[in-house]
Amino acid sequence: DAKTTQPPSMDCAEGRAANLPCNHSTISGNEYVYWYRQIHSQGPQYIIHGLKNNETNEMASLIITEDRKSSTLILPHATLRDTAVYYCIVRVEPHTGGFKTIFGAGTRLFVKA
Amino acid sequence: EAGVVQSPRYKIIEKKQPVAFWCNPISGHNTLYWYRQNLGQGPELLIRYENEEAVDDSQLPKDRFSAERLKGVDSTLKIQPAELGDSAVYLCASSSTGMNTEAFFGQGTRLTVV
C-alpha cells in the first residue's frame, strides 16, 4: 500500500554527497513524490517534493526520472546531523477526497565521520 | 509560527486503562492526520480529517480507538481500554488542502502500556 521501495539502510562519509534511491513504479500521473526524514525521537520533517522536474532547496535536491518510476534524494554535503530515517512517499489521492500520505519503512542513513 | 503541538509528550499507563492524546494543528490547516509508529517502522495512518469530517478511518481499530475534531481545529485520539500492543508513538500531522502541499508533524506522544 506504501507504493514505494527503498533500501533499508545506507552509509555515507561526512562531507560527501548522500544519494538515496526510491522506486515508485506504480505512480500515477498526478501524484507527487515527497521526501521526509525522521531524526531519533522526533516527528517526521518535510524535506522536498516534486512532480516531474528536478527540484532543489536549501536542504536537498530531488532527481526524478523521466518515466517517473524512480527518484533520488541528494544531500550534497552530508553532516553527522543528517543521520536519520529517510522516507520516500507518493501522495495518494483516495476516493474519499483529500490526499493521503502513506509511509513505508524508509532508509536509515548513517553519516560517519 | 507555532508548529503542530501534541500533548502529552510521554504517557505510561497500565493495561485496560483509558488514555487520550491531544493535537493542535497549524492554524489554517484543514487536513489533520493521526499516525501510529511502532518501533523500527514507518508511521501508519490511523485517521484523516478534512475539517471536522473523518474522511478516512479505515485503519482505526474502532473497537477501542476513537477520535474527534470538534470545530475542525483541535483533535483528540482516545484508546479505551489500552492493550500492551498499543505501546507506540502517536503522531499528529496537519496540512493545508491540495496535492502540492506538505504535511507538518508534531513531536508525537510516546505511549507505554504496562
Side-chain angles (χ1 to χ4, degrees):
Chain A
D1 194 30
K3 298 185 65 171
T4 62
T5 304
Q6 299 176 253
S9 65
M10 293 181 63
D11 290 346
C12 178
E14 188 179 22
R16 304 298 292 269
N19 298 296
L20 292 91
C22 179
N23 287 322
H24 30 79
S25 58
T26 61
I27 193 169
S28 299
N30 64 343
E31 292 178 335
Y32 283 74
V33 178
Y34 281 74
W35 283 83
Y36 284 78
R37 74 179 183 184
Q38 189 172 25
I39 296 171
H40 183 62
S41 297
Q42 297 182 21
Q45 175 193 22
Y46 166 79
I47 301 173
I48 198 168
H49 73 283
L51 182 62
K52 296 180 181 179
N53 300 321
N54 298 337
E55 301 288 342
T56 296
N57 63 19
E58 65 278 5
M59 291 181 68
S61 294
L62 174 61
I63 308 298
I64 302 174
T65 58
E66 191 169 345
D67 63 7
R68 302 213 322 123
K69 293 184 177 182
S70 65
S71 61
T72 301
L73 178 74
I74 301 173
L75 307 178
H77 305 286
T79 69
L80 298 179
R81 288 180 296 179
D82 291 324
T83 292
V85 178
Y86 287 77
Y87 296 100
C88 169
I89 298 153
V90 170
R91 200 119 185 248
V92 177
E93 183 177 8
H95 298 301
T96 49
F99 301 99
K100 221 171 175 177
T101 301
I102 301 174
F103 289 79
T107 295
R108 188 172 296 275
L109 176 67
F110 296 95
V111 181
K112 300 181 177 181
Chain B
E1 179 184 357
V4 176
V5 179
Q6 291 187 247
S7 69
R9 187 80 171 88
Y10 302 94
K11 188 74 175 179
I12 301 174
I13 61 170
E14 294 183 344
K15 63 181 180 182
K16 300 184 181 180
Q17 294 301 306
V19 65
F21 314 123
W22 176 79
C23 173
N24 185 280
I26 291 174
S27 178
H29 280 188
N30 297 327
T31 306
L32 184 146
Y33 308 80
W34 281 103
Y35 289 85
R36 175 172 59 190
Q37 186 171 25
N38 292 311
L39 190 63
Q41 299 181 21
E44 170 197 15
L45 180 67
L46 292 176
I47 189 168
R48 177 170 59 93
Y49 282 92
E50 296 292 337
N51 298 305
E52 66 275 7
E53 182 182 0
V55 296
D56 185 353
D57 62 356
S58 57
Q59 302 299 314
L60 190 71
K62 297 180 183 64
D63 57 336
R64 297 183 299 106
F65 286 65
S66 65
E68 61 181 10
R69 191 183 184 196
L70 299 176
K71 301 181 180 179
V73 182
D74 294 3
S75 177
T76 56
L77 178 69
K78 299 178 181 178
I79 308 175
Q80 182 171 11
E83 297 179 351
L84 295 177
D86 296 330
S87 295
V89 175
Y90 291 83
L91 293 160
C92 178
S94 70
S95 69
S96 54
T97 302
M99 179 66 100
N100 191 18
T101 61
E102 65 266 30
F104 294 84
F105 284 79
Q107 294 271 60
T109 296
R110 181 176 296 276
L111 174 67
T112 303
V113 182
V114 297

